[in-house]
Amino acid sequence: MDEMSSSERRPSGLCVGANGGTREVLIGNERERQTYYGALDLLSQRLLVQPHEKGNTTGTIEYLKFLQRQWPEYRLLILWDGASYHRSKELKAFLAPVNDGFEADAWNIHCVRFTPNDLRQNSIEDSWLQAKTWLRRMSGL
């Protein structure tokens, strides 16, 4: 799971799925900075993207709740960078009741930190890089 911010002035973008199909993605507040949270499901190769006001603890918790709704019957393994809001007191307070009563190897949401911006460890960084490159190229920057 990760987040990306964009300050490009394009009202929409184009995503290419694993099956080669494309889908237009509308970009909110296109004249301002926009943050997107995303998670790559490594088993299905599905990328789940959701816009948020900014990358912070509140957005992170809301995105984790979103992921829980996608797979309510599964435990989640979250692999992410070391952003301060990924290890905040508020996030730990959110995770405590979610994982209460379970040993660490059976937590409902298990979070593992990677080095920030390391493509070898954090596979979604490549997706963000491709999205930002496409936006820059299409907006003439």
Side-chain angles (χ1 to χ4, degrees):
M1 183 180 119
D2 207 357
E3 59 287 325
M4 173 191 83
S5 296
S6 172
S7 59
E8 310 302 333
R9 295 188 176 178
R10 300 284 300 165
S12 65
L14 194 64
C15 289
V16 179
N19 64 0
T22 59
R23 170 181 273 181
E24 184 176 37
V25 177
L26 297 179
I27 298 173
N29 69 351
E30 62 268 5
R31 296 192 186 275
E32 300 173 12
R33 189 172 177 90
Q34 177 69 54
T35 297
Y36 295 91
Y37 277 77
L40 179 61
D41 178 344
L42 296 177
L43 297 177
S44 70
Q45 298 297 302
R46 198 171 99 182
L47 179 63
L48 295 115
V49 178
Q50 189 179 58
H52 284 268
E53 263 186 55
K54 54 185 161 180
N56 59 21
T57 299
T58 301
T60 300
I61 292 170
E62 289 304 313
Y63 192 70
L64 288 172
K65 290 177 182 177
F66 165 75
L67 293 176
Q68 285 181 299
R69 289 190 302 273
Q70 302 306 303
W71 296 282
E73 68 279 4
Y74 292 101
R75 297 182 356 226
L76 301 177
L77 173 61
I78 305 297
L79 309 172
W80 57 16
D81 62 26
S84 61
Y85 46 86
H86 290 168
R87 55 187 193 278
S88 69
K89 290 179 188 175
E90 295 88 353
L91 183 67
K92 290 175 185 175
F94 164 74
L95 291 172
V98 170
N99 293 327
D100 188 37
F102 296 102
E103 295 294 323
D105 62 350
W107 284 347
N108 289 311
I109 299 179
H110 191 91
C111 303
V112 177
R113 272 193 309 227
F114 287 141
T115 305
N117 305 311
D118 187 338
L119 295 178
R120 294 167 298 154
Q121 292 184 6
N122 195 348
S123 58
I124 196 156
E125 292 293 344
D126 188 48
S127 299
W128 292 144
L129 178 61
Q130 289 178 30
K132 287 179 182 181
T133 300
W134 184 86
L135 285 169
R136 287 184 189 110
R137 189 175 61 239
M138 298 313 287
S139 64
L141 296 177

